[in-house]
Structures are given as structure tokens and as C-alpha cells.
Amino acid sequence: MTFAYSARHADEYFDHGYTILRGLLPATLLGELRRQSETARDLARRIDGPQAQRLQPVYEYEEIDARPFREFNALPGLVETVRQVLGPDHQPTGLTALLFEPAERPWATHWHRDWAYNVPGIDLDRFFEHIKNKKVLNQLNCALYDDASLWFVPGSDARPDSDAERAAFATIPPPPPAVSDSMSLEEAELTCAAYARSMPGAVQVPLAAGDLVFYRSSAWHLGNYVPYHRRATLHDGFYAEADWAWRKEAEEMRDRAMART
Ligand SMILES: O=C(O)CCC(=O)C(=O)O
Ligand SMILES: [Fe+2]
């Protein structure tokens, strides 16, 4: 069955910070995006090495055909969801990325909130004020292959850290999982999985090929990756003026912090 928007998606998004659009991609588009992802994975690894997480934006590379990505942005079910949940002022970012599995070793990002805990120098009071507006900092992952890499803390998207979260991690932001190249692949994999599970209230977000999760990147989340599970996941967002303004403000805070060091 093809995807159809319902009010449940807006309720989930505003109550929990995420909602899943099951079966969004039609088969032909899924095939076309998979073909582009092969080229993109090769390019990403040539540029960033075998552990490369992403290629972004895909539009910057002439080897990649932009047409299926533009077709994705115009999918009626996606456009309708964005319009109903966020409103017509939210438009494609032009920053479309593809996320990949590592070629060699398991790894995971640290638990973080985007544009706060993964950027140095951010004024956190400003950040927590900004994210009270539930229409800012949306993001999407659309799986071209089954993908369970994303972990997420439902309901954490519009509030500061809870006492339980602070108790679970001695420093904010938490350090990444304690993996090292001297570990076996299995030790590294299990260390990353235990790290993901150690966040209070965290859930794994499994997607089937063609599913899309629409979530707020202001929530606690992480990506957990293993080389044996093929990943090509389209990653983007739909931004309005307030999103671009925060991005600019955050980049200025980061640049000022870097200049001081
Ligand atoms: O791999 C993912 O799905 C999440 C990645 C992520 O959160 C990040 O790179 O900031
Ligand atoms: Fe993130």
C-alpha cells in the first residue's frame, strides 16, 4: 500500500518528536535512488576514507544524477506531510545527503542534539529556548535499504536534559562509545550497542526500505553503524526562515568559540 498522510503523523511528531511514513518510496524511485547511492558511496569513501558516514550535498557531485533526488523532494505524500505538520513555508534544504555503512569497523556517533551538542560554542540557554518552537529543526531519514541505525529519545526534542539523562552521562555532551582499533569487530559492535541502550528512554528506529522517519534533530539521537549491514539512507530536512536563522546564529557562535581557542 502506498503511503497516505493522516492526522496521526502530526500528533506523533508533536507529541514524541518523530513519526514514520511507511512505504513512502515507489519501487521505480527506490531503484533509481539505489543506483545513485552506489556512485555516492564510492565517492564518499574516496573523499573521507573507508569509514565515511555521508556524502553531502549530493547535488555538488556531477557524477550523481540529481533528478531522482528532486523527484523525492516532490513526492506527494512527503509534500503533504510537511505541509500539514509544518506548513507551506518549509521547503527542501538543498543539502540532501546520503548516509552509508562503514567499510571496515563498527562505530557510533555520540548521543547528541544537532546544532547544540555536536557544535562547539553554542549558547545552550539560547538553544533550549529555540527548540520550544516545535516547527524548527526537523530532519528526515529515508531508508533505501532496511536500516536500524538511528536511536532516538522520544519526547526529548523540546525540553532540556532530564535528571535521568544527566545521571546516565557524567559529562554533557556525552563522549562517544569507548571503542578502539585494538578491539575485535564484535567487541566494538557490542560496545556501541550497549552505549546506545544506556540512554534512559532511548528507542531504536527500524525502517524498512522505502520508509521515512521524520524527526526533530533537537532530540537526543545517535547513529550506530556496522559494516555488514548495507546502508544507503537519504538524509535531509525541510527548512523555513527560523531554521536558516538558527543555523546562521549557531555558525557564528561556533566561529567565535573557535577564534578564542
Ligand atoms: O546516522 C544517522 O541516522 C544519524 C546521524 C547523526 O545524527 C548525525 O550525523 O548528526
Ligand atoms: Fe545528529
Side-chain angles (χ1 to χ4, degrees):
M1 206 175 78
T2 53
F3 170 79
Y5 171 80
S6 81
R8 177 176 64 78
H9 292 102
D11 292 345
E12 288 175 355
Y13 188 79
F14 290 124
D15 290 347
H16 308 299
Y18 76 118
T19 185
I20 297 176
L21 284 53
R22 297 276 177 209
L24 177 76
L25 291 183
T28 310
L29 183 57
L30 175 59
E32 289 172 350
L33 288 167
R34 280 182 173 173
R35 273 190 291 286
Q36 296 310 314
S37 78
E38 296 304 310
T39 312
R41 184 185 291 97
D42 288 347
L43 262 171
R45 289 183 180 166
R46 217 177 307 146
I47 295 166
D48 288 330
Q51 295 289 97
Q53 183 209 33
R54 66 176 65 199
L55 189 79
Q56 182 175 29
V58 294
Y59 306 113
E60 232 171 57
Y61 302 90
E62 61 184 22
E63 299 91 325
I64 297 177
D65 181 4
R67 192 192 51 75
F69 295 94
R70 299 203 193 285
E71 210 172 293
F72 167 82
N73 281 335
L75 278 174
L78 179 60
V79 171
E80 178 67 0
T81 301
V82 172
R83 196 178 68 80
Q84 293 281 356
V85 177
L86 300 176
D89 51 340
H90 287 253
Q91 295 294 324
T93 61
L95 300 171
T96 309
L98 281 167
L99 303 176
F100 304 109
E101 82 284 5
E104 294 179 351
R105 298 188 59 82
W107 71 282
T109 70
H110 65 149
W111 274 108
H112 65 282
R113 299 171 181 273
D114 281 357
W115 293 106
Y117 292 170
N118 59 352
V119 182
I122 299 297
D123 176 339
L124 291 178
D125 290 336
R126 273 283 305 134
F127 174 76
F128 286 116
E129 193 53 39
H130 178 68
I131 64 173
K132 284 184 192 164
N133 173 358
K134 293 196 174 185
K135 296 206 169 175
V136 301
L137 290 183
N138 72 89
Q139 194 154 276
L140 64 85
N141 278 11
C142 184
L144 306 184
Y145 299 91
D146 295 359
D147 183 11
S149 309
L150 182 70
W151 285 71
F152 189 86
V153 179
S156 64
D157 57 295
R159 58 150 175 84
D161 303 338
S162 68
D163 290 345
E165 289 155 3
R166 288 181 181 279
F169 293 100
T171 57
I172 297 290
V179 290
S180 73
D181 286 354
S182 62
M183 285 180 167
S184 68
L185 299 186
E186 289 75 18
E187 271 179 292
E189 177 180 352
L190 295 183
T191 301
C192 289
Y195 173 87
R197 283 194 300 270
S198 69
M199 172 61 90
V203 299
Q204 195 171 9
V205 185
L207 301 175
D211 292 352
L212 178 149
V213 60
F214 193 44
Y215 61 106
R216 293 196 66 210
S217 66
S218 53
W220 281 113
H221 65 282
L222 64 67
N224 183 28
Y225 316 116
V226 284
Y228 61 77
H229 196 131
R230 184 174 205 70
R231 185 185 205 210
T233 287
L234 201 158
H235 181 72
D236 207 338
F238 279 72
Y239 278 11
E241 199 47 48
D243 293 291
W244 292 113
W246 173 256
R247 216 181 146 94
K248 184 162 177 287
E249 191 179 333
E251 280 168 354
E252 285 167 3
M253 287 188 262
R254 178 196 61 197
D255 293 347
R256 278 198 300 276
M258 302 296 259
R260 283 196 297 272
T261 57

